[in-house]
Amino acid sequence: DAGVIQSPRHEVTEMGQEVTLRCKPISGHNSLFWYRQTMMRGLELLIYFNNNVPIDDSGMPEDRFSAKMPNASFSTLKIQPSEPRDSAVYFCASSLGGGYNQPQHFGDGTRLSIL
Amino acid sequence: AQSVAQPEDQVNVAEGNPLTVKCTYSVSGNPYLFWYVQYPNRGLQFLLKYITGDNLVKGSYGFEAEFNKSQTSFHLKKPSALVSDSALYFCAVRGGRPTFGRGTSLIVHP
């Protein structure tokens, strides 16, 4: 079975550029999560969607970050403008059922470097 | 506020020996506890979870975890370690939004 698919796997761009990260959740899963992983802060939840609706975006660091889920099979995380401190590995995860209490299935992440 | 502590950055064990990766938590109400494993350049993989019931939870790849309410701990264990178990292990608690520990690097020596 196909797992969570993220693209690109690696992104290197210059400060100030717009960055768009993409995620395809596991078919049939109705919850989707975006995480950021850094050495300094560990793994942080950015935003949680249920049935394509943002439920909890309290982890989104600032207005430069935005996330959308136009349909059940696709989500984007956008950073505009990007800054060097946004460099991190960004993970998308999906789960079956609502809330935070179901096992989450993670993609392999996008390693983002902002120069 | 809820929190998770993984007191060891690294655990070293010889292949064939039992292993323990420690996790303690703080949360209001009943905890939902999880263990995940992360291999290099990969996403986290679910190992096991505790919601209620038996204090010993069995999971994937021969791992198990023991929930101890009085000590607010949820240690991950395996009776006999394999070199292929070498990876980064994360404990997570969900009393609301998920909180992950900082991770423990498990190194199993041949």
Side-chain angles (χ1 to χ4, degrees), chain A residues 36-53:
Chain A
R36 178 171 67 178
Q37 186 178 41
T38 61
M39 290 295 292
M40 288 291 291
R41 300 174 68 90
L43 194 65
E44 303 172 279
L45 175 66
L46 299 178
I47 188 168
Y48 154 50
F49 290 88
N50 182 245
N51 294 325
N52 312 337
V53 176

Side-chain angles (χ1 to χ4, degrees), chain A residues 9 39-40 56 100 107-108, chain B residues 41-43 94 96-97 102:
Chain A
R9 288 297 313 274
M39 290 295 292
M40 288 291 291
D56 181 356
Y100 296 117
D108 287 337
Chain B
N41 300 314
R42 302 296 302 274
R94 287 166 196 173
R97 302 179 85 249
R102 297 304 302 269

Side-chain angles (χ1 to χ4, degrees), chain B residues 4-8 11 19-24 35 73-77 89-91 103-104:
Chain B
V4 175
Q6 293 183 240
E8 300 155 317
V11 170
L19 70 88
T20 299
V21 182
K22 296 179 180 177
C23 172
T24 58
W35 275 102
S73 66
F74 189 56
H75 300 332
L76 181 70
K77 300 182 179 184
Y89 290 81
F90 291 92
C91 181
T104 297

Side-chain angles (χ1 to χ4, degrees), chain A residues 69-80:
Chain A
M69 192 164 187
N71 57 62
S73 58
F74 184 65
S75 177
T76 60
L77 178 67
K78 187 174 293 186
I79 309 172
Q80 167 63 17

Side-chain angles (χ1 to χ4, degrees), chain A residues 85-106:
Chain A
R85 60 193 171 114
D86 301 331
S87 299
V89 181
Y90 290 82
F91 289 103
C92 175
S94 68
S95 69
L96 185 62
Y100 296 117
N101 298 329
Q102 300 303 319
Q104 295 178 11
H105 300 258
F106 284 73

